[in-house]
Amino acid sequence: MTYEEYLSGKKLVLTVATTGGVHGKDANPNLPEQPDEIARQVAECERLGAAIVHVHGRDEHGENDASRLQAVNDAIREHCDDIIIQNTTGGQATLPERIQGIRTDPAPEMASLDLGPFKRDQHIITEHTRHNIEQLAIEMQEKGIKPELECFNSGQLQEAKRLIDQGLLDPPYYINIIFGGQVFTPPHPRHVQALVDTLPENSEFNILATGRHQLPLTLFATILGGHVRVGMEDNLYYERGAQAESNQQLVRRTVDIIGDLGRDLATPDEAREILGIA
């Protein structure tokens, strides 16, 4: 996608990531953790214009737990109309844990696919081998699940191109470029432009920026013709010194920005068409 496509009026796909697998209510008491709590916020975000929800599961203590993805999926389907469920296959230590995200019943329409490992804090690395990546890609392709390719740094774009060359991905390729954090791509507009300029052909791109970078890089992605992800998984604050009251508060601001910049939001069905979801 390009600035010219922005000018042409191409619609924007908005993803909300309501809760991740790292910080909890100790960091922000408004972060939803349990299935019904998550689903109620997702329903409000769908009403505001979110087309996709990125889903994590947590246990009764709020800890990351892939086995709870089924319960969260069920709650979202109960509370929402048509939002696209995108389960995580990240944030886990082993392939059997990761693969639970694509083995819910029914299977999700989308799932994240990390393109490599990354470091977290002082002593943690998310182990993720090429074997794991390929096994996840193969099963997603077999099941018709659209992968969102998680690009944590510029080098991981080469992994996306490798999967394309092996025939393990179907176009259009949906690439989520991640900025901020300790080891992600440095959050600056020049880096956004550089990575967008090197995307594989037939790609759609989404921008995820953490913390205080979420707002400015969301704006930049919008005028570049890309798609955006916001939510409390990535950013616990609404503004400096003020914690986010809910995911819908962050979504509402983003929807206003997108509208002010002259772009229309894609409905879930329009998002399916843009991303090639069967």
Side-chain angles (χ1 to χ4, degrees), residues 235-254:
N235 175 27
L236 293 171
Y237 285 82
Y238 187 74
E239 57 189 11
R240 187 185 300 272
Q243 289 190 323
E245 297 174 1
S246 64
N247 282 282
Q248 50 266 42
Q249 184 188 36
L250 297 172
V251 168
R252 185 179 297 108
R253 176 173 64 184
T254 304

Side-chain angles (χ1 to χ4, degrees), residues 30-269:
N30 301 315
L31 181 82
E33 291 181 344
Q34 300 309 308
D36 192 68
E37 185 184 20
I38 293 169
R40 290 184 185 279
Q41 288 204 21
V42 173
E44 287 299 310
C45 294
E46 180 186 36
R47 182 182 62 80
L48 290 167
I52 299 173
V53 56
H54 178 71
V55 182
H56 282 258
R58 292 173 180 255
D59 66 19
E60 62 272 20
H61 306 294
E63 298 297 323
N64 191 47
D65 184 354
S67 71
R68 297 294 298 279
L69 284 167
Q70 182 70 61
V72 181
N73 285 189
D74 291 344
I76 290 171
R77 291 190 175 96
E78 179 181 350
H79 286 282
C80 297
D81 293 327
D82 192 35
I83 197 164
I84 298 167
I85 291 176
Q86 179 196 99
N87 281 343
T88 184
T89 66
Q92 314 296 329
T94 67
L95 181 59
E97 289 175 304
R98 287 177 178 271
I99 214 160
Q100 291 182 73
I102 53 177
R103 291 185 177 175
T104 53
D105 185 19
E109 293 182 85
M110 297 185 71
S112 64
L113 177 57
D114 293 1
L115 293 176
F118 61 87
K119 299 173 185 175
R120 179 184 294 144
D121 299 324
Q122 194 69 19
H123 304 290
I124 301 173
I125 184 168
T126 60
E127 180 180 339
H128 198 34
T129 65
R130 280 183 167 169
H131 169 77
N132 286 0
I133 295 169
E134 290 176 6
Q135 292 305 302
L136 287 164
I138 289 168
E139 186 163 335
M140 288 186 201
Q141 192 175 53
E142 289 174 347
K143 292 183 173 180
I145 298 171
K146 187 71 177 185
E148 180 185 82
L149 304 171
E150 309 296 336
C151 181
F152 293 101
N153 56 60
S154 57
Q156 290 184 358
L157 269 182
Q158 300 307 312
E159 288 298 305
K161 293 173 182 177
R162 185 179 66 84
L163 293 174
I164 292 168
D165 290 343
Q166 291 181 318
L168 298 179
L169 301 175
D170 299 316
Y173 315 114
Y174 193 45
I175 300 179
N176 184 29
I177 312 173
I178 301 168
F179 297 87
Q182 298 173 337
V183 292
F184 304 153
T185 302
H188 194 284
R190 73 167 69 95
H191 296 140
V192 176
Q193 185 68 68
L195 286 179
V196 169
D197 287 344
T198 57
L199 291 173
E201 290 186 13
N202 300 316
S203 293
E204 296 282 343
F205 76 91
N206 181 80
I207 296 299
L208 183 171
T210 61
R212 63 195 175 109
H213 307 292
Q214 187 172 83
L215 181 60
L217 295 192
T218 292
L219 185 153
F220 191 55
T222 300
I223 62 176
L224 280 182
H227 309 291
V228 299
R229 165 174 145 173
V230 298
M232 295 178 71
E233 174 176 350
D234 310 321
N235 175 27
L236 293 171
Y237 285 82
Y238 187 74
E239 57 189 11
R240 187 185 300 272
Q243 289 190 323
E245 297 174 1
S246 64
N247 282 282
Q248 50 266 42
Q249 184 188 36
L250 297 172
V251 168
R252 185 179 297 108
R253 176 173 64 184
T254 304
V255 169
D256 289 343
I257 290 170
I258 291 166
D260 288 344
L261 290 172
R263 288 193 69 183
D264 293 326
L265 289 167
T267 66
D269 273 346

